[in-house]
Amino acid sequence: MSNIIYIGYEFKVEPIQPGVEILIAELGYEGFESFVETEEGVTAYIQKEDWKQSILEDVQIINSEEFKISFTFNEIEQTNWNKEWEKNFNPIVVDNMCSVRAPFHEKPETKFDIVIEPKMSFGTGHHETTHMMIQHILNNDFTNKSVLDMGCGTGVLAILTEMKGAKPIDAVDYDNWCYLNSLENVGRNNCNHITVIEGDASVLENKKYDIIIANINRNILLNDMETYVSCLNKKGMLFLSGFYNDDIRMITDECEKHLLKFEEKLERNNWVSLKFLN
């Protein structure tokens, strides 16, 4: 992996909220895969092979009169990422029940303690969508439930489902770095029921689950919804995130087309997470 080069963009955003959230969403559509929020804005990373000089042309918020956004960018060796995330990765606690921290952080007094090294993978719990998915997992029964964590990133959600009693669990991501990072984090947390799979929705053929969690983005969710539903057992639960309030109607229409029933909505800073029942 050391030969992979990333382009890192340092964005300064005013006002920082909701500017950073909107910027992250638009950058995600352009292929940026990792984000670290900073005091002045956000640092965003994209693989050099996916980058082009005009990459920001369609990022509308940059030209919006409502926000003042400036940026610089440079090449970053992936092997330098440890220093980058160590500088910015602080431990978090969700609902006083679940902590997500790095190995060098002190162990907190929480029921569930997840230790990860995110490196270039998405999903530390800091972002609103991961935070809400953690809340869903904390608030629902996962005992002896088969689970799919689609777009697993760091593996943090799959790890929490095992801590909540789920088994067996498949954690799937198409990105090789996420796949390797999830394997590392699964082992670090002594998980015995998680299978990490490198691939996209095509690897789900003939698989069945009681619960599916998918924290990706709107377009992928809409594209793969039919596959998710075909894999969901009767009376199963589907948790979705990675999109905004404005996207709810589109997501809900697609779910209802497949006879899923809306159950619950969580919201943080205009990001939302939805629960559906089969």
Side-chain angles (χ1 to χ4, degrees):
M1 298 296 295
S2 60
N3 60 337
I4 295 180
I5 304 296
Y6 277 79
I7 305 293
Y9 278 75
E10 296 279 352
F11 290 95
K12 293 182 179 180
V13 183
E14 297 179 22
I16 198 164
Q17 299 297 347
V20 165
E21 282 79 11
I22 298 171
L23 179 60
I24 288 174
E26 293 192 24
L27 292 174
Y29 289 132
E30 300 303 323
F32 285 79
E33 60 185 57
S34 301
F35 307 92
V36 177
E37 295 189 30
T38 66
E39 291 184 0
E40 295 183 295
V42 64
T43 305
Y45 298 91
I46 185 171
Q47 288 193 32
K48 186 176 181 181
E49 63 180 29
D50 298 327
W51 178 85
K52 56 185 177 182
Q53 193 73 37
S54 59
I55 192 75
L56 300 182
E57 275 187 4
D58 295 326
V59 180
Q60 297 178 7
I61 188 175
I62 292 178
N63 299 314
S64 169
E65 294 182 357
E66 296 179 39
F67 301 94
K68 181 181 178 182
I69 299 177
S70 60
F71 62 88
T72 59
F73 66 93
N74 63 298
E75 288 188 6
I76 297 176
E77 291 280 357
Q78 186 162 333
T79 50
N80 290 338
W81 177 246
N82 281 354
K83 292 179 181 178
E84 294 298 315
W85 73 258
E86 283 184 18
K87 284 192 299 185
N88 294 286
F89 180 40
N90 298 312
I92 67 157
V93 175
V94 178
D95 295 348
N96 295 315
M97 290 184 63
C98 176
S99 57
V100 183
R101 63 184 178 90
F104 51 82
H105 292 138
E106 186 176 342
K107 188 178 187 300
E109 295 290 330
T110 54
K111 184 175 181 180
F112 305 104
D113 178 39
I114 302 174
V115 181
I116 63 170
E117 292 198 38
K119 299 182 180 175
M120 288 303 286
S121 301
F122 178 82
T124 62
H126 291 77
H127 193 269
E128 280 81 352
T129 58
T130 311
H131 190 285
M132 289 184 291
M133 290 299 241
I134 289 174
Q135 288 181 301
H136 275 309
I137 296 170
L138 292 173
N139 294 334
N140 286 272
D141 181 16
F142 278 72
T143 307
N144 293 320
K145 304 289 188 182
S146 56
V147 172
L148 167 65
D149 177 7
M150 194 68 194
C152 59
T154 62
V156 63
L157 299 179
I159 292 166
L160 180 57
T161 66
E162 175 161 332
M163 291 180 175
K164 286 273 292 180
K167 60 181 179 182
I169 304 154
D170 285 342
V172 178
D173 205 299
Y174 75 93
D175 182 83
N176 180 255
W177 188 259
C178 292
Y179 165 73
L180 296 173
N181 192 210
S182 290
L183 282 174
E184 183 180 349
N185 290 326
V186 164
R188 176 175 286 107
N189 288 273
N190 301 311
C191 294
N192 300 308
H193 303 291
I194 299 174
T195 301
V196 183
I197 302 169
E198 184 176 3
D200 55 19
S202 64
V203 306
L204 303 178
E205 188 175 356
N206 298 321
K207 291 182 177 291
K208 287 287 187 179
Y209 305 95
D210 298 317
I211 300 173
I212 296 176
I213 53 181
N215 180 20
I216 312 179
N217 68 51
R218 183 194 68 187
N219 293 343
I220 293 177
L221 292 176
L222 293 172
N223 185 69
D224 294 344
M225 189 68 67
E226 185 173 355
T227 301
Y228 300 155
V229 174
S230 70
C231 294
L232 192 60
N233 287 331
K234 271 294 181 185
K235 298 184 179 179
M237 294 184 285
L238 175 65
F239 298 97
L240 303 173
S241 197
F243 49 91
Y244 283 107
N245 250 317
D246 292 344
D247 301 318
I248 289 178
R249 184 74 266 162
M250 200 180 303
I251 295 289
T252 301
D253 286 348
E254 185 66 22
C255 288
E256 290 177 348
K257 187 170 79 175
H258 295 287
L259 305 180
L260 297 175
K261 298 176 183 177
F262 171 76
E263 175 78 5
E264 185 182 8
K265 168 190 168 185
L266 299 180
E267 180 177 352
R268 281 176 68 87
N269 295 325
N270 205 36
W271 292 94
V272 293
S273 180
L274 305 179
K275 174 185 177 182
F276 290 89
L277 301 179
N278 194 10

